[in-house]
Amino acid sequence: MKTEHENFKNDFQTPINVARYMVSLIPNESRTVLEPTPGLGTLVKLLKEYNVTAPEDYFLLEKQRWDTIIMNPPFALKYTNIENAPLERINKGMKMGYQILFECMQMTDNVIALMPWFTISDSDIRLKSLKKYGLKSLTALPRKTFQYARVQTVIIELVRGYKKDTSFKVFDLLNSGLEYTEPELFSNH
């Protein structure tokens, strides 16, 4: 019999075009990369030039340092493999994804994470923590990114110690080659 985690495993995999964009954000000097919750491995398949760690079970992962962590963690408990999770680390609702994000921030200076917008919009404490760590950019993903999701998503690029202004990007505009500075984007016709 399949677990609830296995039933949902295919539903929220990182789309290939989004995965390519996320990989493009990895700093040039990175050699070791962790994908803590690889699912079916969409991101991992694009990381051939790196020394990649992609555990089948995040909760069995030995904590260490990586140059970059790239991830699309499960947003909710029902999508998470918790077979080996200590009881004190099992969180309900979207707290599971936040927990994985904040734990990973302790293991690297560079995080690229596909997360729900709620990560920054529903908690001043989370937003301040991300900004304090170094919130380099936010890339808004279209609502249609995940077929069955009702949650709006964003790619969060974190660089420890980054103090400049956070840049805001829109994936569909980046994908079409448009920039906010292009006049036709703001024209009335």
Side-chain angles (χ1 to χ4, degrees):
M1 185 171 153
K2 282 186 173 182
T3 65
E4 193 167 23
H5 160 71
E6 291 170 321
N7 286 331
F8 291 107
K9 190 173 182 179
N10 295 330
D11 288 349
F12 302 106
Q13 297 303 304
T14 310
I16 191 69
N17 59 338
V18 174
R20 282 189 192 110
Y21 173 71
M22 291 174 71
V23 169
S24 77
L25 298 174
I26 295 175
N28 291 335
E29 65 277 2
S30 292
R31 298 292 168 256
T32 60
V33 176
L34 170 66
E35 209 300 28
T37 54
L40 298 177
T42 306
L43 283 164
V44 173
K45 291 172 190 165
L46 298 174
L47 297 170
K48 292 181 176 128
E49 65 187 80
Y50 302 97
N51 179 1
V52 178
T53 300
E56 285 196 29
D57 189 332
Y58 170 75
F59 295 101
L60 295 177
L61 176 69
E62 184 179 321
K63 304 303 185 248
Q64 62 184 53
R65 298 281 302 163
W66 281 272
D67 296 332
T68 298
I69 296 178
I70 188 169
M71 64 179 159
N72 172 7
F75 297 168
L77 183 60
K78 71 179 177 180
Y79 308 121
T80 307
N81 179 2
I82 58 168
E83 183 179 332
N84 295 299
L87 288 177
E88 69 274 6
R89 290 178 65 196
I90 297 175
N91 286 301
K92 295 187 179 186
M94 294 209 182
K95 290 180 181 177
M96 201 72 205
Y98 305 147
Q99 175 184 325
I100 293 170
L101 172 64
F102 281 93
E103 287 178 6
C104 285
M105 287 166 58
Q106 303 310 308
M107 297 183 274
T108 189
D109 292 337
N110 301 289
V111 178
I112 301 154
L114 194 161
M115 299 294 292
W117 267 108
F118 299 146
T119 305
I120 58 171
S121 66
D122 284 5
S123 169
D124 288 342
I125 294 171
R126 271 195 308 270
L127 179 57
K128 288 175 185 175
S129 294
L130 294 173
K131 190 66 178 167
K132 183 177 179 183
Y133 180 93
L135 184 54
K136 185 174 180 182
S137 73
L138 297 168
T139 304
L141 296 175
R143 189 166 295 280
K144 64 183 184 264
T145 299
F146 296 101
Q147 182 178 355
Y148 302 107
R150 294 181 305 212
V151 175
Q152 189 72 38
T153 54
V154 61
I155 296 170
I156 300 173
E157 181 184 13
L158 298 163
V159 176
R160 186 184 305 276
Y162 183 84
K163 300 291 183 207
K164 298 178 185 174
D165 289 342
T166 302
S167 66
F168 179 79
K169 307 169 190 177
V170 178
F171 185 77
D172 283 347
L173 297 176
L174 290 170
N175 235 10
S176 65
L178 294 174
E179 297 290 335
Y180 281 115
T181 56
E182 294 185 28
E184 63 270 12
L185 193 60
F186 295 107
S187 67
N188 291 329
H189 46 305

